[in-house]
Amino acid sequence: MGGSKSMNSVKYSSLVALAFIIRPTAVIPWIPLLFRHFWQAQRKLDLILHQFLPVGFVTLSWSLIIDRIFFGQWTLVQYNFLKFNVLQNLGTFYGSHPWHWYFSQGFPVVLGTHLPFFIHGCFLAPKRHRILLVTVLWTLLIYSMLSHKEFRFIYPVLPFCMVFCGYSLNHLKMWKKPALSFLFLSNMLLALYTGLVHQRGTLDVMTHIQELGYNNLNKSEASVFVMMPCHSTPFYSHVHHPLPMRFLQCPPDLTGKNQYLDEADVFYQNPLSWLYKEFHNNSTLPTYLIIFNVLEEEISAFLISRNYERTAIFFHTHLPEGRTGSHIYIYERKLKEKLYRR
């Protein structure tokens, strides 16, 4: 029996170590669970010396060897990850939120309509499941210490939350079926809207660009410039065609400069002036420009003077904000000869 428990410990600790190697923050939800396992173990020293340490050593060694092969030098990527996101806190370059964001917005949004059932289940679940609630709270607290916050960071706690939702639904008895129907319909409607309608334009436009790429196989001069906020669209992973493409750059500052501005920030300070400076020579003009509709009026003078014509419109969202518009426009540069023919 002891051997079976030992083998199970090696298996699950190996999976934890693998998750940590792939993404170091994956270990955060596991810390309370590992500590509980350690606390309940009768032979604590054996657990550390014969299971945790060997598994950690083997996994980290494989990671070092693989990274040595691909980087060409010894690199501890887990330390680099920690340095970038925690020690230097460079993740804030991509946005920051107040410390309470996960509790006031992030966690409620991720749980959605499951939230009342989760809260109800927390009062019903037996004591043996308290460790799962501790894990959820621990994960939210640790991530709250970092300035850069995203919904996806707390997805790993969702399976734990569903345990408490299950106890709540089981306790409802005669109201169980209506509650299940409510959860199914509410989540299905949200899934359909967010998956098929909301912010779909950035995918649709790249599908169109892919088609343009195949239609312009004999036109080596065809090119694309995406003038949208950073990371708005997929890139070659979606287009699958060697069509020259460019987008506004937004790399984080690794030099420690004061008042650092990336290319996208500089562009949005004065889009029209930036375009005239960047494309002072007509020979460098891209064939296609991709923009959100909110930018059109501001750069209309450039579009007219450089013979660009809007050729496609794609719906993006019912909830535009800031630099992100409700629609995406594709502008194609028309050569003077074609214009005259028309």
Side-chain angles (χ1 to χ4, degrees):
M1 191 70 177
S4 177
K5 287 185 177 180
S6 176
M7 182 57 66
N8 287 335
S9 296
V10 171
K11 288 180 179 179
Y12 96 80
S13 58
S14 298
L15 293 175
V16 174
L18 180 62
F20 170 75
I21 292 301
I22 295 174
R23 186 173 180 85
T25 51
V27 78
I28 293 174
W30 281 101
I31 290 176
L33 301 174
L34 290 169
F35 182 78
R36 181 175 184 268
H37 182 198
F38 172 77
W39 187 260
Q40 293 182 340
Q42 295 180 349
R43 303 171 66 179
K44 293 179 174 56
L45 189 61
D46 284 348
L47 180 66
I48 294 175
L49 295 179
H50 301 300
Q51 296 178 37
F52 286 171
L53 285 181
V55 167
F57 176 78
V58 171
T59 308
L60 188 60
S61 297
W62 272 110
S63 175
L64 284 169
I65 292 171
I66 292 172
D67 290 329
R68 174 69 176 84
I69 294 172
F70 284 94
F71 282 103
Q73 60 184 3
W74 292 109
T75 306
L76 186 60
V77 295
Q78 291 74 27
Y79 170 73
N80 290 341
F81 184 94
L82 179 69
K83 180 181 177 182
F84 183 94
N85 291 286
V86 180
L87 301 181
Q88 296 179 331
N89 200 26
L90 291 174
T92 55
F93 180 79
Y94 297 102
S96 61
H97 295 86
W99 67 268
H100 57 78
W101 186 81
Y102 280 121
F103 293 95
S104 60
Q105 298 180 54
F107 187 64
V109 168
V110 168
L111 274 183
T113 52
H114 285 82
L115 182 60
F117 300 97
F118 168 75
I119 296 173
H120 183 219
C122 288
F123 294 99
L124 299 174
K127 290 184 178 180
R128 69 176 184 273
H129 289 321
R130 284 181 180 174
I131 183 60
L132 300 181
L133 183 58
V134 169
T135 301
V136 172
L137 293 174
W138 159 268
T139 303
L140 295 178
L141 284 170
I142 293 298
Y143 276 119
S144 294
M145 296 179 184
L146 300 175
S147 298
H148 180 60
K149 299 175 176 66
E150 295 185 33
F151 294 115
R152 63 188 177 97
F153 292 168
I154 58 174
Y155 284 165
V157 303
L158 279 180
F160 303 141
C161 296
M162 293 303 106
V163 173
F164 298 98
C165 293
Y167 277 103
S168 173
L169 291 169
N170 189 56
H171 183 77
L172 294 178
K173 296 180 181 178
M174 65 177 295
W175 290 99
K176 184 188 296 185
K177 287 186 177 179
L180 286 171
S181 299
F182 165 73
L183 286 174
F184 175 78
L185 290 174
S186 60
N187 281 276
M188 182 60 69
L189 290 173
L190 286 171
L192 289 173
Y193 178 74
T194 57
L196 300 177
V197 180
H198 182 59
Q199 293 186 347
R200 64 169 296 155
T202 50
L203 293 177
D204 291 340
V205 73
M206 296 313 284
T207 300
H208 184 73
I209 290 299
Q210 181 189 53
E211 295 171 357
L212 290 176
Y214 285 113
N215 292 336
N216 288 289
L217 284 174
N218 298 323
K219 299 179 181 179
S220 58
E221 73 277 3
S223 60
V224 177
F225 185 23
V226 181
M227 297 191 298
M228 300 162 75
C230 289
H231 313 302
S232 292
T233 65
F235 211 47
Y236 286 109
S237 61
H238 197 88
V239 174
H240 301 294
H241 188 273
L243 182 69
M245 296 194 298
R246 176 188 169 189
F247 58 89
L248 295 170
Q249 299 289 326
C250 57
D253 178 29
L254 302 178
T255 61
K257 294 180 180 178
N258 291 327
Q259 299 179 336
Y260 169 76
L261 293 175
D262 59 44
E263 184 181 43
D265 288 329
V266 174
F267 169 79
Y268 279 105
Q269 283 183 340
N270 192 333
L272 188 61
S273 175
W274 188 93
L275 286 169
Y276 279 125
K277 290 179 181 178
E278 184 73 13
F279 300 111
H280 59 276
N281 187 343
N282 285 353
S283 63
T284 62
L285 286 168
T287 312
Y288 302 100
L289 298 178
I290 304 177
I291 64 171
F292 278 118
N293 61 305
V294 292
L295 186 64
E296 183 184 43
E297 184 177 352
E298 195 167 356
I299 64 169
S300 59
F302 174 84
L303 297 173
I304 295 171
S305 65
R306 296 300 187 271
N307 301 321
Y308 279 100
E309 182 180 300
R310 191 170 66 195
T311 56
I313 302 175
F314 298 93
F315 169 79
H316 184 60
T317 178
H318 292 110
L319 304 169
E321 59 174 348
R323 300 171 179 174
T324 302
S326 61
H327 291 76
I328 296 174
Y329 296 161
I330 293 183
Y331 272 85
E332 181 180 355
R333 185 166 183 258
K334 302 295 184 178
L335 298 179
K336 290 184 178 180
E337 297 80 33
K338 292 184 179 179
L339 291 172
Y340 291 148
R341 288 174 187 172
R342 294 176 63 186

